[in-house]
Structures are given as C-alpha cells and as structure tokens.
Amino acid sequence: MKTINQTNNVQVQLKTTIVQPEGREEFEFNEPGQIIQVGDAHYLRYVEVQDDIKTPVTFKFAADGSVVLTRHSENRAHFEFRLGQSIETHYQSAYGMMQLFVETEKMVLNFDENTNNGKLWVDYELKSADNTLGKYQIRLQFFS
C-alpha cells in the first residue's frame, strides 16, 4: 500500500459545459478541497454541492500525464482522460450499467507541486458504440 506523502488544502473552481442534442448546460462550483500526494500521483478531492445534493469528486493526476475523474453519486462515473485516445469505461446510471467511451480531444494540465496551484482543461466526447452522447468541457482551477 502506498503512503500518503502530503495533504494540502486548496480552493477549487470548476466550470463544466455539456453540449447534447437536447441543448447546452453549464455548471459552476467553487468549493474547498484537498490535494493529496500518494506516491507519484496527486489527487484533488472535493465535494460538489448542488441543490443540497453532495457529490464527492476526485481527480487523479498520474505521473504518466493521464487524468482520472471519479464522481461518487447515484450516477457513478470513472472517466480516464488521455489526449487523442478513446478509453472504455462503465457508467452506473439509474437505468443500470452502461458501456461508454471517453474520447479526449484536448487536455492541458499545469500543476505546480511546490504551491499546489493548478489548472486542468479537458475537452472530451462521451460515446456509446458509434453514437456521440455529448461533448464536454472541464475548466478546473485549484489554488492554496
């Protein structure tokens, strides 16, 4: 088991844009969080609060440059982002388990381990078989 090397408090600002056939939605969050270093990886953890519903969220920044987003709610998501790749995942929805593909079109990660300040921009598509379910943008900033 890997040891937690360091934990630091940060402020998290997130803007998510979703474009689907039925329209466009935007969500913004400004929440306290933590950056946790475990081995070579860093984890950003915080809780999104929307309409009194609390959703724990984790971003894992791996040493190989990949980013994993995990959301623990009624609809559980585990999305891995690798620039230019399509990664298979499973999405737990109210209707059951769905097989999806995450296609990362753009990804920029800037993270300063000394200050625990960072920025992540991800543009991706969610696909089911050959159908595009939506286009998504994540604009994440965190700072101590």
Side-chain angles (χ1 to χ4, degrees), residues 63-83:
D64 68 2
S66 67
V67 175
V68 176
L69 165 62
T70 307
R71 300 183 85 243
H72 300 281
S73 65
E74 179 180 306
N75 301 326
R76 292 186 207 168
H78 181 89
F79 298 157
E80 183 175 350
F81 304 111
R82 290 182 180 269
L83 187 59

Side-chain angles (χ1 to χ4, degrees), residues 81-98:
F81 304 111
R82 290 182 180 269
L83 187 59
Q85 293 187 31
S86 178
I87 307 289
E88 181 181 351
T89 190
H90 293 89
Y91 179 73
Q92 178 65 49
S93 74
Y95 305 106
M97 190 67 74
M98 296 172 51

Side-chain angles (χ1 to χ4, degrees), residues 6-25:
Q6 192 172 2
T7 300
N8 293 289
N9 292 327
V10 293
Q11 189 63 34
V12 178
Q13 295 176 339
L14 174 73
K15 180 178 180 183
T16 302
T17 304
I18 303 168
V19 178
Q20 296 174 314
E22 54 272 6
R24 176 186 176 109
E25 292 182 286

